[in-house]
Amino acid sequence: VSDLVRQLPPNTVEIIEATINRWTPLYPIVHKSSTIDAMQRLLGFYEATSSSIIILYQILGLLDLGTIGQRGDCTQQHHHFICQSERFYTMATALLDRVIDQPSLQSLQGLVIMQIYLQLSGRYSTASHISGVATRLAQTLGLHRHSHRFKFDPLETELRRRTWWCQYSLDASVSHLS
């Protein structure tokens, strides 16, 4: 984790804030201030914990979305719209197995963020695979059930509801593309 954190750009916080602002109207799955707080704790603390891996996965997914379409240094000497974001995607794929092994709302949020990126970058079969994993995780977490059955605070209840419906819509859309 510490090696990956050191590879993040110096303006990571600004990119994440802009990404959340841009994508939240379409996919309202993360709470901005909670995500920024967790990210800043991770950036200041380099010891790997189970939650830090999940937060790092979310950060990398948000960096993917935030840098898509930006011009970057490409080893293939062209300026394709995913060249800048591709390095964050590569870093995130190294964490995928560890994220899947830790079923939580934060893990699911990271998977949803990654699905959005995969669909935008035209990787429909990979997006379909991640969507299947994410849908099963959402059901395992009980997101498809009415929230009155659980004792969650209002923020978590709302995030669970939003994440479920975002996952539902992504799963439906990727099933038509793959």
Side-chain angles (χ1 to χ4, degrees), residues 103-105 108 133-152 156-157 159-165 167:
S104 67
L105 179 60
L108 179 59
V133 171
T135 299
R136 284 187 295 281
L137 176 57
Q139 290 174 334
T140 300
L141 295 172
L143 271 62
H144 64 298
R145 295 191 175 119
H146 197 284
S147 60
H148 290 298
R149 300 175 124 193
F150 305 100
K151 303 279 190 226
F152 295 114
E156 179 141 359
T157 299
L159 283 174
R160 288 171 61 87
R161 184 179 300 121
R162 290 177 181 196
T163 304
W164 167 255
W165 287 111
Q167 176 54 38

Side-chain angles (χ1 to χ4, degrees), residues 14-130:
E14 292 83 18
I15 295 170
I16 299 300
E17 286 178 341
T19 304
I20 292 171
N21 290 340
R22 186 176 309 121
W23 286 97
T24 295
L26 293 172
Y27 298 100
I29 60 165
V30 294
H31 182 251
K32 183 178 179 180
S33 62
S34 301
T35 303
I36 298 297
D37 289 347
M39 178 185 61
Q40 289 176 328
R41 282 192 305 274
L42 177 68
L43 294 176
F45 186 68
Y46 295 117
E47 186 176 319
T49 65
S50 60
S51 65
S52 66
I53 291 165
I54 294 168
I55 296 301
L56 181 57
Y57 188 77
Q58 282 185 3
I59 290 169
L60 292 169
L62 290 167
L63 284 170
D64 283 339
L65 290 177
T67 57
I68 199 165
Q70 290 184 1
R71 196 166 237 201
D73 296 330
C74 182
T75 58
Q76 298 173 358
Q77 300 303 316
H78 64 85
H79 299 289
H80 194 265
F81 80 106
I82 63 169
C83 286
Q84 181 70 8
S85 60
E86 201 59 15
R87 74 181 179 120
F88 303 119
Y89 173 71
T90 302
M91 293 163 65
T93 57
L95 300 175
L96 182 60
D97 288 339
R98 294 168 73 183
V99 170
I100 292 171
D101 286 343
Q102 300 175 41
S104 67
L105 179 60
Q106 292 77 20
S107 298
L108 179 59
Q109 290 167 322
L111 293 171
V112 170
I113 293 165
M114 198 55 66
Q115 286 175 77
I116 298 166
Y117 176 75
L118 290 167
Q119 286 188 22
L120 288 172
S121 63
R123 295 181 178 108
Y124 302 117
S125 64
T126 305
S128 179
H129 175 73
I130 297 295

